[in-house]
Amino acid sequence: MALKIAVLAKQVIDPEMPMAAFQIDSSAKRVVTPATIPPVVNGFDENAVEAALQIKDGQEATITVISCGSEFAMDVMKKPLSMGADELVLLQDAVFANTIDSFVTAQVLTAAIRKLEGFDLVICGRQASDWDNAQVPLGVAEILDLSCIALGKKVEVQGDKVVVERITPEGFEVVEAPLPALVTVSNELGQPRYPTLRGIMAATRKQPTIWSAADLGVDTGALQSRVSLLDLFVPERNQQCEIIEGEDAVDAGRQLALRLREAKLI
Amino acid sequence: MADASGVLVLGDVASGELSSTSMELLAAGRGIADSLGEELAIGLFSDTLDVAAPQAISRGADKVYAVTHPLLADYQVDLQLAAMVALAREVNPNVILLGRTNQGRELAPRLAFRLGVGLAQDCLEVSVDAATKKLLSNRPVYGGNAVAVVTCDYTPQVAAIRPKAYDPLDPDPGRQGQVVSFPVELDASLARCRVVDSFAEESEGVKLEDARVVVSGGRGLGGPEPFTELEQLAKLLGGAVGASRAAVDSGWVPASYQVGLTGKTITPELYITVAISGASQHMAGCSGAKVIVAINKDAEANILKEARYAVVGDWQQVIPAFAEAVRELIQ
Ligand SMILES: Cc1cc2nc3c(=O)[nH]c(=O)nc-3n(C[C@H](O)[C@H](O)[C@H](O)COP(=O)(O)OP(=O)(O)OC[C@H]3O[C@@H](n4cnc5c(N)ncnc54)[C@H](O)[C@@H]3O)c2cc1C
Ligand SMILES: Nc1ncnc2c1ncn2[C@@H]1O[C@H](COP(=O)(O)O)[C@@H](O)[C@H]1O
């Protein structure tokens, strides 16, 4: 039987946008996205799509990408399809507006995973590049009682278990767990593949499934967030930089050493 | 939970000694406990606490829970989590603190979800709101571009603290505390993940996380070879070599070299960046460095806004001259 893989992917503001463009509306406690900078699929979630595709390269598998949000840029969210994923399910509702609360997000994603039924493996990014929470996947694993391995750089399915190279501070460890399982992946997995022309054409024709909170049977009133945001601000930086000059770059290098010696740093 | 009280640190023991992260957590926890006028306890999951338990008390704990079970002898995430949950339920604390370490990255969110409460993730600072008595957590978000202040709306309030965000308290051998044994019930079938192999790729010499001096290289180095030069410079300074994610992603150095949001957090006295632009996600891992030095050919690069000293120039000219002058000065 074909392996059934879900990839959880979030649409986020481009984390590599110029720092100068980063602005906060402090009364609304939210980041203001400049209209000129389009959103992206969270980078680690592209790694998750790549991990799923690598499994699919080696065995029969279907890949369903699931995303939760209040608004989607369709061309952006179709990227996983153009890379080779089979299906896109968008959980779209005004009440799913970008929230800092992982608890609510995990509940909504879980409702969709249950409704779609029968996943052997759920692959997620290690963290979303907005709130950098790194929580939703672990929450999904807890709610669904799945085996859970975070921070993978290689994901393989061998029979009824998943084998993951998990990043550690010293290098990596090989961890295995029985399916059904949830794995999060990091950029160490490698560059995600580029969409092919054929992939792009196929993606254009595919229509995503769109479910609201009501479609999911999620009682949003009962979904109390667990965390409140009191304040959001850009930290002040008041570092004064002393530019070390010299006759030329070589001399400046020498002067730097002298200056650091003077400051008793070396 | 109504009558929740106290601060519970979930700590760890490494080769019989209290880990440095646990000491940092006790420092953070001591402040919270004192503000609340409540007790500071630490849970340690080991059979041999003859050294670690007194260490924990001297570093600020009022009580040590010695959580024991034969299955806890070797770390296994699912069993460790079950033991932590059991302790948290029994102690019923107001606040739980964990370290956002390699293990904490998995344990903290799973613990919070299992308890049905919120988690303040990756905090740099925790305090108590004088009016509400609630835990206030400051945490970087958006790759370090912003800081969010959050509270947890359910009890226990759980916070994962970034390693090195707090300095341990000085040990006070006169401090009094209590050691309470807490046997847990665990079932081997809880363990789903199994570590079958592990690989270390770290270079020899000083550990990056502990180094007093760190020299890091970025994309502007153009290839793996220049890292040899940085290694020599680091050796000269008694330090370690790090890298930006761009250098790691290019395959020039192993991932264990990466400094930043998703890499290592370092707090050296001296941090020398070579051909690194200073993206917020990089700075997230080194903002605790005492003095940052930038060597970059672009006077507009963000790193110059973060650095104390900078040379604007081509590293190929700056670094050899700098290294030679350092050699002369040191000898
Ligand atoms: C979610 C997320 C997490 C991330 N996590 C991390 C992380 O943990 N760590 C991290 O480092 N990055 C991280 N990044 C990436 C980060 O955003 C930057 O892309 C990265 O740090 C850039 O690396 P760099 O400074 O080496 O390269 P660049 O930004 O390309 O900068 C190269 C610099 O070298 C200078 N240069 C070029 N040639 C020379 C020369 N001959 N002499 C002197 N200077 C020269 C240039 O002026 C430039 O400033 C993350 C990104 C995301 C989205
Ligand atoms: N709204 C969402 N929709 C789909 N996946 C999500 C969403 N939020 C988080 N995830 C998944 O969970 C990972 C970690 O997110 P976070 O816990 O928010 O940092 C992401 O990389 C995604 O794989």
Side-chain angles (χ1 to χ4, degrees):
Chain A
M1 226 175 63
L3 194 77
K4 217 174 149 184
I5 306 174
V7 172
L8 307 186
K10 187 176 189 186
Q11 176 181 308
V12 295
I13 71 169
D14 188 345
E16 302 209 65
M17 72 180 181
M19 267 186 187
F22 187 86
Q23 281 188 349
I24 283 174
D25 174 348
S26 38
S27 57
K29 292 181 286 193
R30 56 189 291 269
V31 172
V32 191
T33 323
T36 48
I37 298 171
V40 295
V41 175
N42 183 42
F44 300 120
D45 302 352
E46 287 193 7
N47 294 124
V49 174
E50 175 60 33
L53 289 168
Q54 285 176 8
I55 293 169
K56 197 182 167 177
D57 288 342
Q59 71 181 94
E60 220 187 305
T62 61
I63 302 172
T64 306
V65 176
I66 308 172
S67 189
C68 169
S70 54
E71 268 178 86
F72 291 104
M74 202 57 85
D75 51 331
V76 171
M77 289 315 291
K78 277 196 169 182
K79 185 171 178 193
L81 291 177
S82 59
M83 289 166 70
D86 299 286
E87 262 194 289
L88 177 63
V89 179
L90 299 176
L91 318 177
Q92 185 172 12
D93 199 307
V95 300
F96 303 156
N98 187 18
T99 158
I100 193 169
D101 198 76
S102 307
F103 187 85
V104 174
T105 310
Q107 299 287 345
V108 175
L109 289 166
T110 304
I113 292 171
R114 285 202 170 116
K115 192 171 155 96
L116 288 160
E117 280 181 332
F119 286 109
D120 302 293
L121 183 60
V122 181
I123 311 182
C124 304
R126 62 179 288 168
Q127 67 198 61
S129 300
D130 42 20
W131 299 104
D132 291 317
N133 269 327
Q135 292 188 47
V136 167
L138 300 124
V140 170
E142 280 297 316
I143 299 167
L144 293 172
D145 194 25
L146 304 172
S147 327
C148 177
I149 304 172
L151 300 177
K153 71 182 189 90
K154 189 167 178 201
V155 186
E156 276 177 16
V157 171
Q158 295 174 6
D160 55 4
K161 66 183 185 201
V162 64
V163 182
V164 178
E165 288 183 8
R166 177 182 190 273
I167 299 157
T168 63
E170 298 78 31
F172 67 94
E173 58 191 15
V174 183
V175 187
E176 52 179 53
L179 297 177
L182 179 143
V183 177
T184 81
V185 299
S186 187
N187 57 291
E188 286 83 349
L189 193 110
Q191 180 75 35
R193 67 193 64 186
Y194 291 104
T196 59
L197 196 57
R198 241 182 76 212
I200 295 170
M201 303 285 282
T204 323
R205 284 192 301 272
K206 277 185 193 154
Q207 285 310 312
T209 304
I210 300 181
W211 285 335
S212 66
D215 294 331
L216 286 168
V218 171
D219 177 1
T220 48
L223 282 187
Q224 290 291 324
S225 66
R226 263 32 182 186
V227 174
S228 297
L229 180 61
L230 299 193
D231 197 5
L232 184 66
F233 60 91
V234 174
E236 252 179 69
R237 282 175 297 164
N238 38 21
Q239 181 62 261
Q240 282 300 316
C241 183
E242 181 180 331
I243 307 279
I244 309 288
E245 314 268 0
E247 285 159 30
D248 51 22
V250 172
D251 186 42
R254 225 175 282 133
Q255 298 300 330
L256 174 65
L258 293 171
R259 187 71 187 88
L260 294 182
R261 181 63 161 193
E262 206 183 317
K264 299 198 167 59
L265 288 160
I266 57 176
Chain B
M1 277 179 259
D3 45 359
S5 168
V7 178
L8 175 64
V9 165
L10 295 174
D12 60 334
V13 177
S15 338
E17 305 248 353
L18 188 67
S19 73
S20 55
T21 317
S22 301
M23 294 184 194
E24 296 161 21
L25 291 170
L26 285 173
R30 192 67 261 170
I32 301 301
D34 289 345
S35 308
L36 290 170
E38 294 176 6
E39 184 180 77
L40 174 63
I42 183 170
L44 294 174
F45 302 77
S46 168
D47 285 335
T48 41
L49 293 179
D50 353 345
V51 179
Q55 276 177 333
I57 291 166
S58 77
R59 298 282 183 166
D62 300 316
K63 193 185 271 181
V64 178
Y65 289 102
V67 186
T68 51
H69 192 284
L71 285 171
L72 292 174
D74 291 312
Y75 175 83
Q76 196 285 330
V77 57
D78 304 299
L79 293 167
Q80 176 76 20
L81 178 65
M84 285 180 163
V85 170
L87 181 68
R89 291 216 165 105
E90 177 64 29
V91 173
N92 189 19
N94 196 351
V95 172
I96 295 180
L97 302 179
L98 298 89
R100 198 226 43 182
T101 55
N102 179 45
Q103 295 173 353
R105 285 180 200 270
E106 287 186 323
L107 291 169
R110 289 181 68 185
L111 175 84
F113 268 90
R114 214 167 268 195
L115 296 174
V117 300
L119 166 68
Q121 179 71 296
D122 198 14
C123 305
L124 289 182
E125 203 185 326
V126 283
S127 58
V128 172
D129 185 312
T132 61
K133 297 280 171 206
K134 292 193 74 169
L135 188 71
L136 294 176
S137 304
N138 281 30
R139 49 166 311 225
V141 293
Y142 284 88
N145 275 305
V147 174
V149 183
V150 300
T151 53
C152 296
D153 301 325
Y154 286 70
T155 310
Q157 308 168 79
V158 188
I161 314 280
R162 187 181 285 193
K164 307 241 167 84
Y166 280 82
D167 287 327
L169 300 173
D170 290 331
D172 173 359
R175 267 192 62 91
Q176 296 296 308
Q178 194 189 354
V179 182
V180 180
S181 126
F182 185 84
V184 274
E185 277 177 44
L186 293 174
D187 187 318
S189 69
L190 290 173
R192 293 207 186 129
C193 303
R194 198 163 68 89
V195 178
V196 289
D197 216 342
S198 67
F199 299 87
E201 50 199 18
E202 213 156 25
S203 62
E204 78 277 20
V206 195
K207 270 178 83 175
L208 181 53
E209 300 91 312
D210 304 333
R212 205 192 64 82
V213 179
V214 174
V215 184
S216 278
R219 184 171 1 237
L221 289 181
E225 300 81 13
F227 273 94
T228 325
E229 223 166 306
L230 298 195
E231 300 270 6
Q232 284 162 1
L233 178 58
K235 206 165 168 194
L236 207 56
L237 294 166
V241 173
S244 72
R245 174 168 149 187
V248 170
D249 281 351
S250 304
W252 301 341
V253 283
S256 55
Y257 280 55
Q258 185 175 317
V259 171
L261 182 68
T262 57
K264 289 190 170 145
T265 305
I266 58 168
T267 52
E269 300 287 314
L270 178 61
Y271 184 43
I272 303 176
T273 66
V274 186
I276 286 180
S277 64
S280 62
Q281 295 92 350
H282 184 80
M283 301 320 294
C286 60
S287 53
K290 285 259 165 52
V291 171
I292 298 178
V293 173
I295 294 159
N296 197 304
K297 68 174 185 190
D298 176 9
E300 298 300 312
N302 183 64
I303 190 75
L304 271 76
K305 300 198 178 75
E306 312 263 2
R308 176 72 190 82
Y309 305 101
V311 173
V312 178
D314 189 335
W315 69 266
Q316 300 192 51
Q317 291 169 348
V318 180
I319 288 296
F322 175 65
E324 197 190 296
V326 169
R327 195 171 289 120
E328 283 166 11
L329 286 170
I330 287 179
Q331 277 155 11

